[in-house]
């Protein structure tokens, strides 16, 4: 069983930023497609807290599995 790594909001924000960028989206486009206002998305990407529903929508619009985004955040946390 894989050990769960404690992920800080900043690391999750960095992983989400990366997923958005890899999908070829701007933060504004990601905000529109996810229904998260751009200013709220920006705040969350810079250390705010995402709720589960927001993470699912981000996963859907970026074409990445949520588990992959979380794994990226865990990698940043353990680096």
């Amino acid at each position: 069983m894989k050990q769960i790594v404690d992920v800080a909001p900043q690391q999750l924000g960095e992983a989400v930023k990366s997923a958005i960028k890899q999908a070829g989206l701007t933060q504004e486009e990601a905000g529109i497609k996810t229904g998260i206002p751009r200013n709220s998305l920006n705040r969350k990407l810079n250390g705010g807290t995402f709720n589960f529903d927001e993470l699912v929508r981000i996963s859907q619009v970026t074409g990445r599995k949520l588990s992959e985004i979380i794994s990226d955040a865990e990698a940043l946390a353990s680096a």
Side-chain angles (χ1 to χ4, degrees):
M1 180 181 277
K2 184 178 173 189
Q3 181 180 356
I4 296 173
V5 177
D6 189 24
V7 176
Q10 292 84 2
Q11 287 132 358
L12 183 56
E14 287 300 318
V16 171
K17 276 184 202 177
S18 178
I20 290 169
K21 185 176 181 179
Q22 289 173 3
L25 299 171
T26 65
Q27 288 182 18
E28 184 168 352
E29 291 168 332
I32 291 167
K33 291 181 179 216
T34 60
I36 304 169
R38 188 199 54 78
N39 59 341
S40 294
L41 179 60
N42 187 41
R43 190 170 48 252
K44 291 169 187 284
L45 291 173
N46 291 305
T49 305
F50 288 95
N51 67 41
F52 182 75
D53 184 55
E54 291 168 336
L55 290 172
V56 168
R57 287 183 277 156
I58 288 166
S59 170
Q60 291 170 338
V61 302
T62 61
R64 304 245 354 253
K65 290 181 180 180
L66 181 53
S67 60
E68 293 172 348
I69 296 172
I70 300 297
S71 290
D72 290 349
E74 288 177 331
L76 290 169
S78 62

